[in-house]
Amino acid sequence: MAERKPIESWLTDMDGVLMHEGIPVPGADTFIKRLRESGKPFLVLTNNSIYPPRDLHARLARIGLDVPVDNIWTSALATAQFLDDQRPGGTAYVIGEAGLTTALHDIGYVLTDHDPDYVVLGETRTYSFEALTKAIRLINAGARFIATNPDETGPSAEGALPATGSVAALITKATGREPYFVGKPNPLMMRAGLNAIGAHSETSAMIGDRMDTDVLAGLEAGMETFLVLTGLTRSEEIELHPFRPSRVVDSIADLVELI
């Protein structure tokens, strides 16, 4: 195997890597500080589409992680960029929160329930039966079905919560139409993020806590991949997958020395 080039830019997942249930992972603050001091391009990624980057910046700052707004990349931003490339100035019926609606407004999309080009599904704290019924009927009438990410569950202090993937499955069952998922593990989200910071996959690394999204997305985008064991994946689960990360470490603190 050819030796990889030195890492010049970094992409890292947020939940399970930098923080866990709202608490910073030991060493995450040092990692971010070292990245900013190095001047190397980096992005903090999340498949969660609920919050705009400014809100995520504030949430991270409250726990001691100073990540600039421009260094935050969400599935909502990736979805908006994808739709802007596919059908500029289009229309969409959206199920989601401010992170998604703001991203779509910013690219000039009109949000409507009257004959939209797309039905766009993202996370929300309260999935409405009325909204889901409307989405099903619009898709049956010809709207294209887009989902921000395929995550079936999300974390909370009380346990797992249903996420976009689970709700998308409900809509698919009712319509027979599969959505196009923009977020991880779709390498589209990673490549768009790399383009946003002027980075190249052969000199970039992806850090994540999930084999099925973070590591897979990094692998398919051509990046070096690091799996941390501070999130959802246990070490004994790695061999259950037909692919492997470039390296497994206990936490992001073990990667500070590589910057």
Side-chain angles (χ1 to χ4, degrees), residues 121-143:
L121 175 69
E123 268 91 13
T124 176
R125 300 175 187 86
T126 53
Y127 284 106
S128 152
F129 182 80
E130 180 182 356
L132 294 175
T133 301
K134 173 66 74 173
I136 288 165
R137 290 173 179 168
L138 290 172
I139 291 168
N140 283 335

Side-chain angles (χ1 to χ4, degrees), residues 1-253:
M1 184 185 300
E3 186 175 343
R4 290 195 64 96
K5 296 179 181 179
I7 299 170
E8 298 295 338
S9 53
W10 292 83
L11 275 62
T12 177
D13 188 38
M14 184 181 302
D15 293 310
V17 179
L18 300 179
M19 56 190 283
H20 185 70
E21 294 181 358
I23 299 171
V25 171
D29 55 343
T30 305
F31 183 85
I32 295 297
K33 184 172 183 289
R34 183 73 65 84
L35 267 180
R36 296 192 65 185
E37 289 173 349
S38 74
K40 291 181 178 179
F42 76 95
L43 282 178
V44 172
L45 296 94
T46 177
N47 256 359
N48 191 307
S49 63
I50 289 179
Y51 302 105
R54 281 199 308 176
D55 291 357
L56 289 173
H57 164 77
R59 289 166 66 87
L60 289 167
R62 281 198 298 271
I63 62 171
L65 301 178
D66 188 11
V67 181
V69 172
D70 290 343
N71 294 95
I72 296 174
W73 186 248
T74 72
S75 64
L77 294 175
T79 297
Q81 185 176 101
F82 170 75
L83 293 179
D84 193 33
D85 290 340
Q86 289 281 305
R87 189 176 291 261
T91 59
Y93 177 71
V94 177
I95 298 176
E97 300 275 347
L100 183 55
T101 56
T102 300
L104 291 174
H105 275 140
D106 286 347
I107 61 162
Y109 256 56
V110 172
L111 308 189
T112 179
D113 62 359
H114 177 70
D115 193 26
D117 297 318
Y118 297 96
V119 166
V120 183
L121 175 69
E123 268 91 13
T124 176
R125 300 175 187 86
T126 53
Y127 284 106
S128 152
F129 182 80
E130 180 182 356
L132 294 175
T133 301
K134 173 66 74 173
I136 288 165
R137 290 173 179 168
L138 290 172
I139 291 168
N140 283 335
R144 301 154 187 85
F145 186 17
I146 301 290
T148 56
N149 70 83
D151 294 5
E152 295 170 353
T153 60
S156 79
E158 295 77 28
L161 296 172
T164 305
S166 296
V167 180
L170 182 155
I171 295 174
T172 294
K173 194 72 173 177
T175 61
R177 300 276 293 281
E178 296 276 353
Y180 181 72
F181 292 108
V182 176
K184 299 176 294 182
N186 189 342
L188 177 74
M189 179 174 174
M190 319 298 281
R191 292 182 183 130
L194 290 172
N195 289 339
I197 59 173
H200 301 283
S201 59
E202 64 268 21
T203 55
S204 298
M206 174 65 196
I207 311 166
D209 71 310
R210 294 181 63 150
M211 290 288 290
D212 57 347
T213 55
D214 305 320
V215 171
L216 182 57
L219 178 72
E220 292 190 346
M223 292 186 284
E224 192 162 352
T225 55
F226 293 89
L227 178 74
V228 297
L229 300 177
T230 49
L232 290 176
T233 303
R234 307 270 70 84
S235 58
E236 62 270 16
E237 297 171 340
I238 297 170
E239 293 300 330
L240 300 176
H241 297 269
F243 52 90
R244 290 184 58 83
S246 306
R247 183 174 163 188
V248 180
V249 296
D250 289 333
S251 79
I252 197 165

